[in-house]
Amino acid sequence: MARIVLRDLCKSYAGQQVIHGISMDIPNGEFVVIVGPSGCGKSTLLRMVAGLESITAGTIEINDKVVNDLEPRQRDIAMVFQNYALYPHMSVRENMAYGLKIAKMPKDEIEKSVARVAAMLELEPYLDRKPRALSGGQRQRVAMGRALVREPSAFLLDEPLSNLDAKLRVQMRLQIKDLHLRTGQTTLYVTHDQVEAMTLADRLIVMNKGVAEQIATPHEVYMHPASEFVAGFIGSPAMNIFTVRIEDGAAVLPGGHRLPLAGLPANGDYRLGLRPEDLEVVDAATPAIPVMLRSVEWLGADAFGYGVIEGSETLVTLRLSGNTAFARGDRLHVAPQAGRLHVFAPETGKRVEVRA
């Protein structure tokens, strides 16, 4: 296992900075997921840790040793790529053993290591097959097995499940998490899929344009997003975020609707965030947001309603009970649950703490 420390890590291409001073201490055995949209710098950050990208400024330490100038093979890490990168002319057994063979490990030790990892990943029936005779999920397991036989200090995965279909991704996600719990290896995992990120991570690095917007547990990121970007990116369906005017303890919403709310900040213009599940249908006499439904997506026990705030074109997503019949054209009154407000400064996008 390895402790990895990033200190003010920066990366520039042709004078343009793409990674902006990221710092993080990753203790032994932690599973950290780097998540964000395409082009945000998450794979670049991972490749810097691996030694596949040079560092413009800052330091990377692995087990208290600065590795900035070390080659990838000297860092005692293993990386699994999106495209598997298997040798097509080699069997599964040969692919998994290749790195150990290059390291001149004794043949009997190689066989024991391959057998151990093949059993762990349920690959024993496929050891003599070539990659072309395997499914996508099996190839991904072989790529992971090739990394695991080396017993590296850290395990780096760059969008390893993005080539798989939805059902297989769920299965592989469970296998990766189970594998981490069994091996206890320090793991950095890159994905743009927030579901993968939330289910796998001990902690998240939420990236936006080369900046670590928030580094926290999945629960903290979901319940207390540090910025409007994080709030909108994490959560499905996405958080509702409106421009509002706060006046004397009430939020003036699009359409001119005035909604008294506890714990609001000082008077001024803000961005107000409300997750779909934190809006509940209330009696028309209760101070609430009037919403006209435009469509309903029924999912069985739950349903999602999509509508607009009356008097405006501002879209709202609601989580509704699947036990109640809702339809297009229904007029609902919805109110936020107490303590579930998210307020952001419009100039910076940063979170504004509200009073309990």
Side-chain angles (χ1 to χ4, degrees):
M1 293 190 293
R3 177 187 177 213
I4 300 174
V5 180
L6 314 179
R7 299 189 192 279
D8 298 319
L9 210 57
C10 297
K11 175 67 179 178
S12 298
Y13 293 108
Q16 182 175 357
Q17 195 166 349
V18 295
I19 299 292
H20 301 266
I22 293 176
S23 296
M24 186 180 188
D25 189 333
I26 303 169
N28 286 340
E30 188 171 39
F31 197 121
V32 172
V33 176
I34 307 169
V35 64
S38 297
C40 70
K42 54 189 184 292
S43 289
T44 299
L45 178 60
L46 191 77
R47 289 170 64 85
M48 291 167 74
V49 176
L52 301 174
E53 291 279 356
S54 61
I55 298 166
T56 304
T59 59
I60 298 173
E61 296 177 16
I62 298 178
N63 284 332
D64 301 319
K65 180 179 181 180
V66 176
V67 299
N68 289 29
D69 299 322
L70 295 185
E71 295 294 323
R73 60 186 173 82
Q74 298 173 303
R75 300 189 181 199
D76 194 23
I77 52 90
M79 191 160 180
V80 177
F81 298 93
Q82 176 181 344
N83 62 358
Y84 318 137
L86 301 178
Y87 297 109
H89 62 287
M90 293 183 183
S91 67
V92 168
R93 189 190 312 275
E94 291 167 332
N95 265 284
M96 291 174 65
Y98 184 74
L100 303 181
K101 185 177 178 182
I102 293 298
K104 302 189 185 306
M105 180 182 284
K107 186 176 180 181
D108 61 333
E109 290 186 29
I110 292 176
E111 290 175 355
K112 288 179 183 177
S113 294
V114 170
R116 175 180 57 81
V117 174
M120 186 187 301
L121 296 174
E122 300 179 356
L123 288 171
E124 293 131 305
Y126 314 109
L127 284 173
D128 296 317
R129 293 190 189 180
K130 299 287 177 62
R132 65 176 176 272
L134 303 175
S135 68
Q138 290 162 350
R139 291 180 196 177
Q140 190 61 72
R141 278 186 281 157
V142 174
M144 292 173 63
R146 185 175 58 187
L148 282 168
V149 293
R150 294 173 47 200
E151 298 184 357
S153 294
F155 205 24
L156 313 184
L157 299 99
D158 190 4
E159 304 218 39
L161 308 185
S162 59
N163 290 337
L164 306 180
D165 62 55
K167 183 177 180 180
L168 193 52
R169 287 177 77 153
V170 173
Q171 295 173 354
M172 285 299 299
R173 216 163 51 218
L174 295 173
Q175 288 188 358
I176 288 172
K177 189 64 176 178
D178 182 60
L179 188 63
H180 175 257
L181 292 173
R182 279 187 282 159
T183 63
Q185 282 180 304
T186 306
T187 302
L188 270 72
Y189 185 106
V190 162
T191 183
H192 64 273
D193 186 324
Q194 58 160 301
V195 176
E196 274 179 33
M198 296 291 282
T199 54
L200 287 172
D202 295 323
R203 278 193 297 167
L204 297 172
I205 306 176
V206 185
M207 297 277 292
N208 178 32
K209 297 179 181 177
V211 174
E213 293 266 345
Q214 188 169 7
I215 300 175
T217 65
H219 183 267
E220 288 175 301
V221 167
Y222 191 82
M223 299 302 292
H224 300 284
S227 68
E228 184 177 332
F229 171 82
V230 175
F233 186 78
I234 298 295
S236 181
M239 181 185 288
N240 300 294
I241 302 178
F242 319 121
T243 298
V244 301
R245 175 84 183 164
I246 292 181
E247 297 177 348
D248 303 322
V252 182
L253 299 162
H257 305 287
R258 187 178 177 88
L259 185 64
L261 294 169
L264 290 174
N267 290 353
D269 294 323
Y270 295 92
R271 299 277 285 164
L272 178 66
L274 298 166
R275 292 205 181 275
E277 66 270 24
D278 293 335
L279 286 166
E280 51 190 3
V281 179
V282 295
D283 185 271
T286 304
I289 308 169
V291 174
M292 183 68 70
L293 286 181
R294 287 186 171 176
S295 66
V296 177
E297 185 179 52
W298 185 69
L299 302 174
D302 288 325
F304 289 108
Y306 304 93
V308 293
I309 297 177
E310 287 190 357
S312 76
E313 288 299 310
T314 300
L315 298 175
V316 183
T317 303
L318 312 171
R319 185 177 183 180
L320 304 169
S321 170
N323 297 322
T324 305
F326 294 98
R328 176 185 172 87
D330 285 354
R331 186 174 187 268
L332 306 179
H333 286 77
V334 297
Q337 297 178 30
R340 305 303 287 270
L341 302 177
H342 304 274
V343 181
F344 307 99
E347 303 85 4
T348 64
K350 299 300 183 185
R351 183 181 185 85
V352 176
E353 291 300 334
V354 298
R355 301 183 303 276

mmCIF file of all heavy atoms in Angstrom, residues 91-129:
data_model
loop_
_atom_site.group_PDB
_atom_site.id
_atom_site.type_symbol
_atom_site.label_atom_id
_atom_site.label_comp_id
_atom_site.label_asym_id
_atom_site.label_seq_id
_atom_site.Cartn_x
_atom_site.Cartn_y
_atom_site.Cartn_z
ATOM 1 N N SER A 91 -1.919 -15.147 -24.709
ATOM 2 C CA SER A 91 -3.055 -15.661 -23.943
ATOM 3 C C SER A 91 -3.267 -14.799 -22.708
ATOM 4 O O SER A 91 -2.442 -13.948 -22.361
ATOM 5 C CB SER A 91 -2.788 -17.106 -23.517
ATOM 6 O OG SER A 91 -1.721 -17.145 -22.571
ATOM 7 N N VAL A 92 -4.375 -15.058 -22.017
ATOM 8 C CA VAL A 92 -4.645 -14.355 -20.759
ATOM 9 C C VAL A 92 -3.506 -14.598 -19.773
ATOM 10 O O VAL A 92 -3.004 -13.678 -19.130
ATOM 11 C CB VAL A 92 -5.982 -14.833 -20.156
ATOM 12 C CG1 VAL A 92 -6.149 -14.336 -18.717
ATOM 13 C CG2 VAL A 92 -7.149 -14.366 -21.021
ATOM 14 N N ARG A 93 -3.076 -15.835 -19.673
ATOM 15 C CA ARG A 93 -1.984 -16.179 -18.770
ATOM 16 C C ARG A 93 -0.715 -15.393 -19.112
ATOM 17 O O ARG A 93 -0.047 -14.829 -18.242
ATOM 18 C CB ARG A 93 -1.697 -17.683 -18.860
ATOM 19 C CG ARG A 93 -0.719 -18.202 -17.810
ATOM 20 C CD ARG A 93 -0.307 -19.640 -18.135
ATOM 21 N NE ARG A 93 -1.447 -20.485 -18.435
ATOM 22 C CZ ARG A 93 -2.183 -21.112 -17.511
ATOM 23 N NH1 ARG A 93 -1.876 -20.964 -16.233
ATOM 24 N NH2 ARG A 93 -3.191 -21.869 -17.872
ATOM 25 N N GLU A 94 -0.401 -15.324 -20.402
ATOM 26 C CA GLU A 94 0.815 -14.629 -20.839
ATOM 27 C C GLU A 94 0.698 -13.124 -20.626
ATOM 28 O O GLU A 94 1.670 -12.462 -20.259
ATOM 29 C CB GLU A 94 1.092 -14.953 -22.304
ATOM 30 C CG GLU A 94 1.516 -16.393 -22.536
ATOM 31 C CD GLU A 94 1.479 -16.786 -24.002
ATOM 32 O OE1 GLU A 94 0.671 -16.202 -24.764
ATOM 33 O OE2 GLU A 94 2.237 -17.694 -24.383
ATOM 34 N N ASN A 95 -0.488 -12.572 -20.872
ATOM 35 C CA ASN A 95 -0.704 -11.145 -20.622
ATOM 36 C C ASN A 95 -0.483 -10.805 -19.150
ATOM 37 O O ASN A 95 0.180 -9.817 -18.816
ATOM 38 C CB ASN A 95 -2.119 -10.737 -21.043
ATOM 39 C CG ASN A 95 -2.203 -10.174 -22.440
ATOM 40 O OD1 ASN A 95 -1.820 -9.027 -22.687
ATOM 41 N ND2 ASN A 95 -2.692 -10.986 -23.366
ATOM 42 N N MET A 96 -1.033 -11.634 -18.284
ATOM 43 C CA MET A 96 -0.919 -11.362 -16.851
ATOM 44 C C MET A 96 0.508 -11.552 -16.348
ATOM 45 O O MET A 96 0.964 -10.864 -15.435
ATOM 46 C CB MET A 96 -1.890 -12.246 -16.068
ATOM 47 C CG MET A 96 -3.350 -11.889 -16.289
ATOM 48 S SD MET A 96 -4.515 -13.041 -15.511
ATOM 49 C CE MET A 96 -4.164 -12.784 -13.781
ATOM 50 N N ALA A 97 1.235 -12.471 -16.968
ATOM 51 C CA ALA A 97 2.590 -12.777 -16.500
ATOM 52 C C ALA A 97 3.653 -11.886 -17.119
ATOM 53 O O ALA A 97 4.798 -11.876 -16.635
ATOM 54 C CB ALA A 97 2.911 -14.243 -16.818
ATOM 55 N N TYR A 98 3.295 -11.117 -18.130
ATOM 56 C CA TYR A 98 4.317 -10.423 -18.928
ATOM 57 C C TYR A 98 5.198 -9.486 -18.085
ATOM 58 O O TYR A 98 6.426 -9.508 -18.169
ATOM 59 C CB TYR A 98 3.650 -9.647 -20.061
ATOM 60 C CG TYR A 98 4.640 -8.983 -20.979
ATOM 61 C CD1 TYR A 98 5.382 -9.742 -21.881
ATOM 62 C CD2 TYR A 98 4.843 -7.606 -20.953
ATOM 63 C CE1 TYR A 98 6.302 -9.140 -22.727
ATOM 64 C CE2 TYR A 98 5.761 -7.003 -21.793
ATOM 65 C CZ TYR A 98 6.495 -7.780 -22.677
ATOM 66 O OH TYR A 98 7.402 -7.185 -23.504
ATOM 67 N N GLY A 99 4.565 -8.668 -17.249
ATOM 68 C CA GLY A 99 5.335 -7.716 -16.449
ATOM 69 C C GLY A 99 6.281 -8.409 -15.483
ATOM 70 O O GLY A 99 7.413 -7.955 -15.255
ATOM 71 N N LEU A 100 5.841 -9.534 -14.923
ATOM 72 C CA LEU A 100 6.687 -10.280 -13.994
ATOM 73 C C LEU A 100 7.850 -10.942 -14.731
ATOM 74 O O LEU A 100 8.965 -11.034 -14.208
ATOM 75 C CB LEU A 100 5.857 -11.343 -13.265
ATOM 76 C CG LEU A 100 4.634 -10.829 -12.496
ATOM 77 C CD1 LEU A 100 3.931 -11.987 -11.800
ATOM 78 C CD2 LEU A 100 5.026 -9.762 -11.495
ATOM 79 N N LYS A 101 7.574 -11.384 -15.958
ATOM 80 C CA LYS A 101 8.628 -11.998 -16.763
ATOM 81 C C LYS A 101 9.711 -10.983 -17.106
ATOM 82 O O LYS A 101 10.908 -11.272 -17.020
ATOM 83 C CB LYS A 101 8.008 -12.567 -18.046
ATOM 84 C CG LYS A 101 8.974 -13.340 -18.918
ATOM 85 C CD LYS A 101 8.244 -13.921 -20.118
ATOM 86 C CE LYS A 101 9.218 -14.676 -21.033
ATOM 87 N NZ LYS A 101 8.514 -15.210 -22.230
ATOM 88 N N ILE A 102 9.278 -9.757 -17.465
ATOM 89 C CA ILE A 102 10.230 -8.691 -17.772
ATOM 90 C C ILE A 102 11.064 -8.348 -16.532
ATOM 91 O O ILE A 102 12.256 -8.021 -16.624
ATOM 92 C CB ILE A 102 9.488 -7.439 -18.289
ATOM 93 C CG1 ILE A 102 8.849 -7.727 -19.647
ATOM 94 C CG2 ILE A 102 10.418 -6.235 -18.377
ATOM 95 C CD1 ILE A 102 9.832 -8.074 -20.736
ATOM 96 N N ALA A 103 10.451 -8.437 -15.357
ATOM 97 C CA ALA A 103 11.160 -8.159 -14.105
ATOM 98 C C ALA A 103 12.041 -9.326 -13.672
ATOM 99 O O ALA A 103 12.658 -9.268 -12.601
ATOM 100 C CB ALA A 103 10.151 -7.842 -13.012
ATOM 101 N N LYS A 104 12.047 -10.400 -14.504
ATOM 102 C CA LYS A 104 12.906 -11.569 -14.252
ATOM 103 C C LYS A 104 12.562 -12.284 -12.944
ATOM 104 O O LYS A 104 13.444 -12.784 -12.236
ATOM 105 C CB LYS A 104 14.390 -11.181 -14.282
ATOM 106 C CG LYS A 104 14.829 -10.550 -15.598
ATOM 107 C CD LYS A 104 16.323 -10.389 -15.682
ATOM 108 C CE LYS A 104 16.766 -9.657 -16.945
ATOM 109 N NZ LYS A 104 16.253 -10.245 -18.186
ATOM 110 N N MET A 105 11.297 -12.346 -12.630
ATOM 111 C CA MET A 105 10.849 -13.114 -11.481
ATOM 112 C C MET A 105 10.951 -14.602 -11.819
ATOM 113 O O MET A 105 10.697 -14.994 -12.970
ATOM 114 C CB MET A 105 9.404 -12.747 -11.126
ATOM 115 C CG MET A 105 8.848 -13.498 -9.934
ATOM 116 S SD MET A 105 7.120 -13.088 -9.575
ATOM 117 C CE MET A 105 7.304 -11.485 -8.792
ATOM 118 N N PRO A 106 11.309 -15.453 -10.873
ATOM 119 C CA PRO A 106 11.366 -16.897 -11.139
ATOM 120 C C PRO A 106 10.046 -17.440 -11.676
ATOM 121 O O PRO A 106 8.965 -16.999 -11.262
ATOM 122 C CB PRO A 106 11.694 -17.491 -9.771
ATOM 123 C CG PRO A 106 12.401 -16.394 -9.045
ATOM 124 C CD PRO A 106 11.762 -15.119 -9.516
ATOM 125 N N LYS A 107 10.152 -18.411 -12.566
ATOM 126 C CA LYS A 107 8.980 -18.937 -13.263
ATOM 127 C C LYS A 107 7.929 -19.476 -12.298
ATOM 128 O O LYS A 107 6.731 -19.252 -12.484
ATOM 129 C CB LYS A 107 9.409 -20.030 -14.230
ATOM 130 C CG LYS A 107 8.282 -20.536 -15.112
ATOM 131 C CD LYS A 107 8.781 -21.546 -16.126
ATOM 132 C CE LYS A 107 7.647 -22.051 -17.006
ATOM 133 N NZ LYS A 107 8.118 -23.046 -17.992
ATOM 134 N N ASP A 108 8.357 -20.216 -11.259
ATOM 135 C CA ASP A 108 7.369 -20.785 -10.341
ATOM 136 C C ASP A 108 6.633 -19.712 -9.564
ATOM 137 O O ASP A 108 5.435 -19.838 -9.276
ATOM 138 C CB ASP A 108 8.037 -21.778 -9.390
ATOM 139 C CG ASP A 108 9.115 -21.136 -8.532
ATOM 140 O OD1 ASP A 108 9.704 -20.132 -8.967
ATOM 141 O OD2 ASP A 108 9.357 -21.648 -7.417
ATOM 142 N N GLU A 109 7.318 -18.606 -9.233
ATOM 143 C CA GLU A 109 6.662 -17.492 -8.538
ATOM 144 C C GLU A 109 5.672 -16.784 -9.459
ATOM 145 O O GLU A 109 4.602 -16.347 -9.007
ATOM 146 C CB GLU A 109 7.706 -16.506 -8.017
ATOM 147 C CG GLU A 109 8.549 -17.048 -6.864
ATOM 148 C CD GLU A 109 9.481 -15.994 -6.288
ATOM 149 O OE1 GLU A 109 9.110 -14.787 -6.364
ATOM 150 O OE2 GLU A 109 10.549 -16.350 -5.785
ATOM 151 N N ILE A 110 6.043 -16.668 -10.726
ATOM 152 C CA ILE A 110 5.121 -16.067 -11.703
ATOM 153 C C ILE A 110 3.845 -16.890 -11.779
ATOM 154 O O ILE A 110 2.725 -16.353 -11.739
ATOM 155 C CB ILE A 110 5.779 -15.964 -13.090
ATOM 156 C CG1 ILE A 110 6.927 -14.949 -13.072
ATOM 157 C CG2 ILE A 110 4.743 -15.573 -14.152
ATOM 158 C CD1 ILE A 110 7.688 -14.857 -14.384
ATOM 159 N N GLU A 111 3.989 -18.215 -11.876
ATOM 160 C CA GLU A 111 2.824 -19.092 -11.988
ATOM 161 C C GLU A 111 1.928 -18.983 -10.754
ATOM 162 O O GLU A 111 0.701 -18.952 -10.863
ATOM 163 C CB GLU A 111 3.289 -20.533 -12.189
ATOM 164 C CG GLU A 111 3.922 -20.781 -13.560
ATOM 165 C CD GLU A 111 4.478 -22.192 -13.699
ATOM 166 O OE1 GLU A 111 4.444 -22.940 -12.692
ATOM 167 O OE2 GLU A 111 4.938 -22.531 -14.806
ATOM 168 N N LYS A 112 2.542 -18.909 -9.574
ATOM 169 C CA LYS A 112 1.765 -18.772 -8.337
ATOM 170 C C LYS A 112 1.013 -17.439 -8.301
ATOM 171 O O LYS A 112 -0.163 -17.388 -7.912
ATOM 172 C CB LYS A 112 2.689 -18.876 -7.126
ATOM 173 C CG LYS A 112 3.209 -20.275 -6.855
ATOM 174 C CD LYS A 112 4.148 -20.270 -5.651
ATOM 175 C CE LYS A 112 4.748 -21.654 -5.412
ATOM 176 N NZ LYS A 112 5.713 -21.637 -4.283
ATOM 177 N N SER A 113 1.674 -16.348 -8.695
ATOM 178 C CA SER A 113 1.040 -15.024 -8.682
ATOM 179 C C SER A 113 -0.125 -14.958 -9.656
ATOM 180 O O SER A 113 -1.201 -14.440 -9.333
ATOM 181 C CB SER A 113 2.075 -13.941 -9.022
ATOM 182 O OG SER A 113 3.052 -13.843 -8.020
ATOM 183 N N VAL A 114 0.089 -15.496 -10.868
ATOM 184 C CA VAL A 114 -0.974 -15.485 -11.876
ATOM 185 C C VAL A 114 -2.153 -16.333 -11.406
ATOM 186 O O VAL A 114 -3.318 -15.927 -11.532
ATOM 187 C CB VAL A 114 -0.437 -15.987 -13.236
ATOM 188 C CG1 VAL A 114 -1.591 -16.214 -14.213
ATOM 189 C CG2 VAL A 114 0.551 -14.986 -13.819
ATOM 190 N N ALA A 115 -1.874 -17.502 -10.834
ATOM 191 C CA ALA A 115 -2.946 -18.380 -10.359
ATOM 192 C C ALA A 115 -3.735 -17.709 -9.234
ATOM 193 O O ALA A 115 -4.977 -17.794 -9.193
ATOM 194 C CB ALA A 115 -2.353 -19.704 -9.879
ATOM 195 N N ARG A 116 -3.031 -17.037 -8.321
ATOM 196 C CA ARG A 116 -3.694 -16.366 -7.194
ATOM 197 C C ARG A 116 -4.636 -15.270 -7.677
ATOM 198 O O ARG A 116 -5.795 -15.191 -7.255
ATOM 199 C CB ARG A 116 -2.643 -15.781 -6.250
ATOM 200 C CG ARG A 116 -3.209 -14.956 -5.104
ATOM 201 C CD ARG A 116 -2.099 -14.417 -4.224
ATOM 202 N NE ARG A 116 -1.146 -13.624 -4.975
ATOM 203 C CZ ARG A 116 -1.323 -12.335 -5.312
ATOM 204 N NH1 ARG A 116 -2.440 -11.709 -4.957
ATOM 205 N NH2 ARG A 116 -0.403 -11.683 -5.979
ATOM 206 N N VAL A 117 -4.153 -14.434 -8.581
ATOM 207 C CA VAL A 117 -4.962 -13.314 -9.065
ATOM 208 C C VAL A 117 -6.080 -13.803 -9.982
ATOM 209 O O VAL A 117 -7.194 -13.285 -9.949
ATOM 210 C CB VAL A 117 -4.072 -12.274 -9.773
ATOM 211 C CG1 VAL A 117 -4.924 -11.183 -10.416
ATOM 212 C CG2 VAL A 117 -3.094 -11.658 -8.773
ATOM 213 N N ALA A 118 -5.797 -14.823 -10.797
ATOM 214 C CA ALA A 118 -6.840 -15.384 -11.663
ATOM 215 C C ALA A 118 -7.999 -15.936 -10.837
ATOM 216 O O ALA A 118 -9.170 -15.765 -11.193
ATOM 217 C CB ALA A 118 -6.250 -16.470 -12.553
ATOM 218 N N ALA A 119 -7.675 -16.567 -9.711
ATOM 219 C CA ALA A 119 -8.732 -17.075 -8.826
ATOM 220 C C ALA A 119 -9.519 -15.926 -8.219
ATOM 221 O O ALA A 119 -10.754 -15.974 -8.129
ATOM 222 C CB ALA A 119 -8.115 -17.941 -7.730
ATOM 223 N N MET A 120 -8.825 -14.869 -7.820
ATOM 224 C CA MET A 120 -9.464 -13.704 -7.214
ATOM 225 C C MET A 120 -10.446 -13.065 -8.185
ATOM 226 O O MET A 120 -11.537 -12.623 -7.796
ATOM 227 C CB MET A 120 -8.383 -12.684 -6.813
ATOM 228 C CG MET A 120 -8.894 -11.485 -6.048
ATOM 229 S SD MET A 120 -7.584 -10.248 -5.802
ATOM 230 C CE MET A 120 -6.352 -11.206 -4.909
ATOM 231 N N LEU A 121 -10.078 -13.021 -9.478
ATOM 232 C CA LEU A 121 -10.903 -12.351 -10.490
ATOM 233 C C LEU A 121 -11.769 -13.322 -11.291
ATOM 234 O O LEU A 121 -12.394 -12.926 -12.276
ATOM 235 C CB LEU A 121 -9.998 -11.570 -11.451
ATOM 236 C CG LEU A 121 -9.205 -10.419 -10.832
ATOM 237 C CD1 LEU A 121 -8.233 -9.824 -11.843
ATOM 238 C CD2 LEU A 121 -10.135 -9.341 -10.318
ATOM 239 N N GLU A 122 -11.782 -14.591 -10.876
ATOM 240 C CA GLU A 122 -12.586 -15.630 -11.543
ATOM 241 C C GLU A 122 -12.222 -15.731 -13.021
ATOM 242 O O GLU A 122 -13.089 -15.811 -13.900
ATOM 243 C CB GLU A 122 -14.078 -15.347 -11.352
ATOM 244 C CG GLU A 122 -14.504 -15.321 -9.891
ATOM 245 C CD GLU A 122 -15.979 -15.026 -9.703
ATOM 246 O OE1 GLU A 122 -16.673 -14.770 -10.707
ATOM 247 O OE2 GLU A 122 -16.440 -15.046 -8.555
ATOM 248 N N LEU A 123 -10.930 -15.785 -13.289
ATOM 249 C CA LEU A 123 -10.425 -15.863 -14.657
ATOM 250 C C LEU A 123 -9.823 -17.235 -14.983
ATOM 251 O O LEU A 123 -9.334 -17.438 -16.103
ATOM 252 C CB LEU A 123 -9.358 -14.782 -14.899
ATOM 253 C CG LEU A 123 -9.852 -13.341 -15.000
ATOM 254 C CD1 LEU A 123 -8.671 -12.377 -15.020
ATOM 255 C CD2 LEU A 123 -10.721 -13.143 -16.235
ATOM 256 N N GLU A 124 -9.854 -18.174 -14.040
ATOM 257 C CA GLU A 124 -9.190 -19.461 -14.290
ATOM 258 C C GLU A 124 -9.655 -20.169 -15.565
ATOM 259 O O GLU A 124 -8.832 -20.728 -16.297
ATOM 260 C CB GLU A 124 -9.377 -20.402 -13.093
ATOM 261 C CG GLU A 124 -8.668 -19.929 -11.845
ATOM 262 C CD GLU A 124 -9.595 -19.967 -10.656
ATOM 263 O OE1 GLU A 124 -10.685 -19.351 -10.733
ATOM 264 O OE2 GLU A 124 -9.230 -20.614 -9.664
ATOM 265 N N PRO A 125 -10.975 -20.145 -15.918
ATOM 266 C CA PRO A 125 -11.394 -20.854 -17.136
ATOM 267 C C PRO A 125 -10.875 -20.217 -18.430
ATOM 268 O O PRO A 125 -10.980 -20.834 -19.498
ATOM 269 C CB PRO A 125 -12.926 -20.782 -17.078
ATOM 270 C CG PRO A 125 -13.258 -20.432 -15.671
ATOM 271 C CD PRO A 125 -12.122 -19.602 -15.184
ATOM 272 N N TYR A 126 -10.345 -18.999 -18.338
ATOM 273 C CA TYR A 126 -9.993 -18.263 -19.556
ATOM 274 C C TYR A 126 -8.484 -18.065 -19.731
ATOM 275 O O TYR A 126 -8.049 -17.361 -20.641
ATOM 276 C CB TYR A 126 -10.663 -16.884 -19.539
ATOM 277 C CG TYR A 126 -12.114 -16.920 -19.140
ATOM 278 C CD1 TYR A 126 -12.531 -16.425 -17.901
ATOM 279 C CD2 TYR A 126 -13.069 -17.496 -19.978
ATOM 280 C CE1 TYR A 126 -13.864 -16.486 -17.519
ATOM 281 C CE2 TYR A 126 -14.404 -17.560 -19.594
ATOM 282 C CZ TYR A 126 -14.797 -17.052 -18.365
ATOM 283 O OH TYR A 126 -16.106 -17.117 -17.995
ATOM 284 N N LEU A 127 -7.671 -18.692 -18.881
ATOM 285 C CA LEU A 127 -6.240 -18.411 -18.876
ATOM 286 C C LEU A 127 -5.548 -18.730 -20.199
ATOM 287 O O LEU A 127 -4.541 -18.104 -20.548
ATOM 288 C CB LEU A 127 -5.560 -19.179 -17.736
ATOM 289 C CG LEU A 127 -5.781 -18.602 -16.333
ATOM 290 C CD1 LEU A 127 -5.224 -19.533 -15.265
ATOM 291 C CD2 LEU A 127 -5.151 -17.221 -16.217
ATOM 292 N N ASP A 128 -6.080 -19.690 -20.952
ATOM 293 C CA ASP A 128 -5.427 -20.074 -22.207
ATOM 294 C C ASP A 128 -6.082 -19.447 -23.434
ATOM 295 O O ASP A 128 -5.704 -19.758 -24.570
ATOM 296 C CB ASP A 128 -5.408 -21.603 -22.339
ATOM 297 C CG ASP A 128 -4.560 -22.245 -21.251
ATOM 298 O OD1 ASP A 128 -3.467 -21.717 -20.971
ATOM 299 O OD2 ASP A 128 -5.012 -23.246 -20.657
ATOM 300 N N ARG A 129 -7.055 -18.567 -23.201
ATOM 301 C CA ARG A 129 -7.704 -17.880 -24.330
ATOM 302 C C ARG A 129 -6.940 -16.623 -24.722
ATOM 303 O O ARG A 129 -6.261 -16.016 -23.899
ATOM 304 C CB ARG A 129 -9.138 -17.500 -23.976
ATOM 305 C CG ARG A 129 -10.071 -18.675 -23.796
ATOM 306 C CD ARG A 129 -11.506 -18.178 -23.690
ATOM 307 N NE ARG A 129 -12.426 -19.230 -23.304
ATOM 308 C CZ ARG A 129 -13.733 -19.049 -23.152
ATOM 309 N NH1 ARG A 129 -14.264 -17.844 -23.360
ATOM 310 N NH2 ARG A 129 -14.517 -20.058 -22.792
#
